[in-house]
Amino acid sequence: MRATGSEIPHTISPEDFEKIEAEMKKEPEAARQRHTSLMIAYAYRDADHFNYAHLSVDSSEQQAVHNGIFHVYGGDRVRISPQEGPGTLLEEKWYKVKLVYDGHKGDVQVFVDGKTSPSLHACDLSLKAGKVGIGSFFDLGSFRNVKITGR
């Protein structure tokens, strides 16, 4: 599965989830060009109401809108995770990515190759349940072994 485009995810689950584990392997393309950026949306209600994890070659200190957890609620995206943390997609290779979300508690955490950082952990109680989606901003990337479980 390939993704390219904007902030709205390109592949969206047909059902809503309040509690999910989304696991996949992601391979960014053109990491050497330093534009690598892929995303996992969760609690997706519509194009104006969703949260997403943004994985990037940049650390969140380098680019405040990269490598973190973000919230869209009828307006511009807002970062809801701390800015401390390294870049995650530093090489042109397959990464094992896991997003764990509990809408009842509002807690989300993302692991890349088994590791997480403060910039990949957040809490938001405003959306609770919603669809799950994968995509990118303006970059190419490939996904394989996508598995979404939850209720």
Side-chain angles (χ1 to χ4, degrees):
M1 188 180 317
R2 296 173 65 75
T4 182
S6 66
E7 190 173 288
I8 298 170
H10 297 285
T11 303
I12 301 174
S13 66
E15 60 186 287
D16 288 352
F17 293 92
E18 183 178 27
K19 194 169 189 173
I20 60 167
E21 282 195 21
E23 295 183 67
M24 64 202 68
K25 292 222 176 199
K26 295 175 126 177
E27 181 185 44
E29 292 185 15
R32 288 186 212 123
Q33 294 177 8
R34 306 313 243 187
H35 298 293
T36 302
S37 180
L38 301 171
M39 68 178 287
I40 306 170
Y42 63 96
Y44 182 95
R45 291 188 183 166
D46 58 44
D48 294 321
H49 301 90
F50 62 98
N51 290 336
Y52 67 94
H54 179 192
L55 303 177
S56 172
V57 68
D58 299 314
S59 72
S60 49
E61 288 96 351
Q62 291 171 303
Q63 290 288 333
V65 295
H66 287 190
N67 219 55
I69 310 294
F70 297 87
H71 177 68
V72 176
Y73 202 84
D76 290 339
R77 67 181 163 211
V78 176
R79 181 182 202 92
I80 58 174
S81 64
Q83 281 192 265
E84 298 84 32
T88 52
L89 306 177
L90 302 176
E91 301 172 44
E92 292 181 42
K93 69 171 197 160
W94 284 99
Y95 291 89
K96 183 177 181 181
V97 177
K98 180 178 182 178
L99 179 140
V100 179
Y101 172 64
D102 184 334
H104 182 70
K105 295 178 182 177
D107 190 63
V108 65
Q109 190 150 13
V110 178
F111 300 86
V112 178
D113 287 342
K115 298 176 185 170
T116 190
S117 73
S119 66
L120 298 178
H121 182 243
C123 185
D124 173 59
L125 292 167
S126 62
L127 291 172
K128 305 224 185 263
K131 296 178 180 5
V132 180
I134 55 177
S136 72
F137 280 77
F138 303 102
D139 303 305
L140 294 174
S142 298
F143 299 85
R144 69 179 181 195
N145 300 337
V146 176
K147 177 182 172 186
I148 301 170
T149 57
R151 57 175 171 87

